[in-house]
Amino acid sequence: MADSTGFLKYDRALPPRRPVDVRIMDWKDVYLTRETGEDEVFPVGAVRQQAARCMDCGIPFCHHGCPLGNLIPEWNDLARRDDWGDAIERLHATNNFPEFTGKLCPAPCEGSCVLNLQESPVTIKQIEWEIIDQAFQRDLVTPQPAQERTGKKVAVVGSGPAGLAAAQQLTRAGHEVTVFERADRIGGLLRYGIPEFKMEKAVLDRRLDQMRAEGTRFVTGVEVGGSGADDLSVDQLRGDFDAVVLAGGATVGRDLPAPGRELAGIHLAMDYLPYGNLQALGELDSPPIDAHGKHVVIIGGGDTGADCLGTAHRQGAASVAQLEIMPAPPGSRAQDNPWPTYPMVMRVSSAHEEGGERLYSVNTERFLDDGQGNVRALLLHEVERVDGRFTKIEGSERELPADLVFLAMGFTGAQREGLVEGLGVEVTDRGNIARDGDFMSTVPGVFVAGDIGRGQSLIVWAIAEGRSAAGAVDAWLTGAASELPRPVTPTAVALR
């Protein structure tokens, strides 16, 4: 162990977020960066001090919390020693994109950190971000092109974290990889789902530059299996490529078929968030869905709902309320949620810190009309759990004003129309594409990675599945054991 008393000498500390009244006036990262004064209040030395808190446990439970198998105690100690070159080598050994996870992952590794027995885990996520940030600053992130080419061609459909991870691994293995994205830019949810204030798109673009230099080809504005003039048919896909990786995500949003759902002003979250990103980048002055001056209600208490919340704040909403049918989480672990499982406790995201009302144990009974076809309010009632089911509390009905409603209740699986139906792959009863133990669908040569096969999940699981699927594709194409790592199986689940 590098510093056997580090966890006793230093308290857990993180860099500060920018003041609320400042950050809601722009779309920049909510945290201070080196460009906005981080070094003045949280210098590199402070991060190294936090790394010294790592106990280098005999059994590192943080490994079990992360599906990527990150070598956390090793790179914690290398960061402590100011050895950023070896630290990024250890980090990249298991994670293609630590800058994405360092910003976006909810850090199940920290939930399973031994110090979380005292609810003060090592700041693993922040140390991870520091390592990759130092690596980019020091020009330690360079293209890693293949030494030999196999002559095999692989199509990756979808450019979110799973697709990008699979593409980078397969390109480095020597295959000719083309990534198809139906949007106008590469990135999937990283580009148009994650708000700029959570991860600036320059972070994504610099990694894509590395991938292009390694030989990965990106094609945008093309829907594989679509019927447009510029789209790629299923027959072309199978004819032009030796293997296909489906990494299109779980894109079908869960709807709320309550009376009044047809009223204007009610939208799925993913119909709203892309406009916010375009607005943040200065590419859209007047978004078609704009919260400015409106009473906004968000149905769904998860991360997507929080993204809508932060976006509405920056657009100048008059008020924002976020609804959740579940009861409020406890302030600390419940007895049935012991360490080292992920702590299901109350969290305050940066968006919640900025304002808005959080309502728990409520259900939307109907959407109310303003008489002109627009939503004007929600009729709510409170609920309680009876025999495992949510039951209305009689007499608890009330109206909640709403000019704009966003449905952020998760996703129900893969889009069936077009590619999935055209390929003829089997779909499970949960709406995901079925795959075997080698990530292959029911159609030979067609592999499945990420949310499109697993269902809605975390970014670390997407990257882990992309890496694992790449190993399976490589073995199938070459007919030999692959040297690419496979950190997870298709049926692996989070520590619980």
Side-chain angles (χ1 to χ4, degrees):
M1 190 190 311
D3 187 343
S4 60
T5 61
F7 68 99
L8 296 173
K9 292 187 293 189
Y10 309 119
D11 293 330
R12 175 181 165 93
L14 290 166
R17 293 168 178 163
R18 295 191 295 136
V20 169
D21 59 347
V22 173
R23 70 183 191 237
I24 63 171
M25 301 302 292
D26 61 42
W27 297 87
K28 296 177 182 177
D29 197 315
V30 299
Y31 284 95
L32 286 172
T33 64
R34 292 200 161 80
E35 292 73 25
T36 57
E38 177 188 314
D39 282 338
E40 298 174 11
V41 294
F42 205 82
V44 176
V47 181
R48 295 175 59 201
Q49 194 176 79
Q50 288 299 302
R53 297 183 70 241
C54 179
M55 301 169 68
D56 193 17
C57 304
I59 299 177
F61 282 88
C62 55
H63 285 192
H64 298 278
C66 179
L68 284 165
N70 282 334
L71 307 173
I72 295 166
E74 293 186 35
W75 45 255
N76 276 344
D77 185 49
L78 290 165
R80 182 198 67 84
R81 290 192 278 151
D82 208 26
D83 188 347
W84 304 106
D86 280 353
I88 191 58
E89 183 275 328
R90 294 291 196 286
L91 188 47
H92 271 152
T94 58
N95 186 352
N96 297 70
F97 314 121
E99 64 272 36
F100 303 164
T101 53
K103 285 291 182 185
L104 305 175
C105 181
C109 54
E110 293 187 20
S112 56
C113 174
V114 172
L115 285 177
N116 210 29
L117 284 166
Q118 299 178 342
E119 298 185 2
S120 183
V122 175
T123 57
I124 298 169
K125 181 175 167 179
Q126 177 61 32
I127 297 166
E128 177 181 32
W129 170 259
E130 186 68 37
I131 292 170
I132 185 61
D133 197 37
Q134 289 287 337
F136 271 109
Q137 287 188 60
R138 296 164 186 258
D139 295 324
L140 299 176
V141 183
T142 57
Q144 305 293 322
Q147 298 301 307
E148 297 180 5
R149 293 291 178 183
T150 65
K152 299 292 186 179
K153 299 173 69 175
V154 182
V156 176
V157 184
S159 66
L164 292 179
Q168 186 167 64
Q169 293 292 94
L170 289 166
T171 298
R172 290 176 173 179
H175 306 299
E176 185 180 333
V177 180
T178 301
V179 178
F180 292 96
E181 170 58 57
R182 62 183 174 184
D184 62 340
R185 296 186 188 181
I186 293 295
L189 282 180
L190 294 170
R191 175 74 64 184
Y192 288 124
I194 301 300
E196 185 81 353
F197 57 82
K198 283 181 68 173
M199 189 184 80
E200 295 181 357
K201 299 307 168 277
V203 172
L204 169 62
D205 291 334
R206 68 184 182 184
R207 182 61 76 172
L208 296 178
D209 288 343
Q210 181 204 31
M211 293 182 66
R212 290 187 181 95
E214 291 173 348
T216 301
R217 177 172 173 252
F218 296 106
V219 177
T220 59
V222 171
E223 181 161 4
V224 180
S227 57
D230 297 325
D231 292 337
L232 186 73
S233 70
V234 170
D235 289 341
Q236 287 177 293
L237 177 74
R238 297 312 310 274
D240 293 348
F241 295 93
D242 300 295
V244 176
V245 178
L246 302 180
T251 58
V252 180
R254 180 173 282 106
D255 213 324
L256 182 61
R261 171 62 180 89
E262 74 285 354
L263 294 173
I266 305 171
H267 308 274
L268 292 172
M270 285 309 302
D271 290 336
Y272 169 60
L273 290 172
Y275 293 128
N277 276 331
L278 290 171
Q279 186 178 10
L281 295 172
E283 299 178 10
L284 190 62
D285 293 330
S286 301
I289 306 174
D290 192 346
H292 182 75
K294 296 179 180 178
H295 297 290
V296 177
V297 173
I298 301 162
I299 302 178
D303 287 343
T304 303
D307 293 343
C308 293
L309 177 64
T311 300
H313 286 323
R314 282 155 182 78
Q315 290 181 335
S319 69
V320 190
Q322 188 174 8
L323 314 185
E324 173 59 65
I325 196 170
M326 299 291 291
S332 58
R333 286 181 184 270
Q335 288 188 344
D336 60 354
N337 178 212
W339 175 88
T341 59
Y342 187 69
M344 305 302 292
V345 297
M346 176 67 80
R347 288 179 170 79
V348 179
S349 72
S350 65
H352 295 128
E353 188 180 71
E354 292 161 1
E357 184 180 13
R358 302 172 82 173
L359 302 177
Y360 291 93
S361 297
V362 295
N363 187 39
T364 302
E365 195 165 308
R366 64 174 58 245
F367 301 101
L368 302 178
D369 196 335
D370 69 349
Q372 300 180 29
N374 305 304
V375 65
R376 69 165 179 84
L378 278 67
L379 181 62
L380 305 178
H381 61 252
E382 296 177 14
V383 297
E384 60 182 349
R385 214 71 176 271
V386 178
D387 296 329
R389 302 183 66 180
F390 291 111
T391 304
K392 177 179 178 179
I393 298 177
E394 295 298 333
S396 65
E397 301 91 344
R398 65 186 177 97
E399 289 188 15
L400 181 66
D403 306 310
L404 200 55
V405 179
F406 299 127
L407 307 180
M409 302 178 295
F411 301 87
T412 61
Q415 176 183 316
R416 308 283 186 92
E417 302 81 9
L419 179 60
V420 171
E421 290 180 348
L423 284 170
V425 295
E426 184 179 322
V427 178
T428 71
D429 57 4
R430 297 179 65 88
N432 308 318
I433 299 181
R435 65 260 181 96
D436 63 17
D438 288 322
F439 290 88
M440 191 183 292
S441 73
T442 51
V443 175
V446 177
F447 295 80
V448 184
D451 289 3
I452 197 171
R454 175 169 290 274
Q456 180 185 353
S457 189
L458 305 180
I459 186 171
V460 279
W461 281 96
I463 296 173
E465 287 220 352
R467 289 170 64 86
S468 298
V473 173
D474 184 48
W476 187 77
L477 288 174
T478 61
S482 176
E483 295 183 1
L484 296 179
R486 299 196 207 181
V488 295
T489 64
T491 56
V493 295
L495 186 67
R496 56 175 75 172

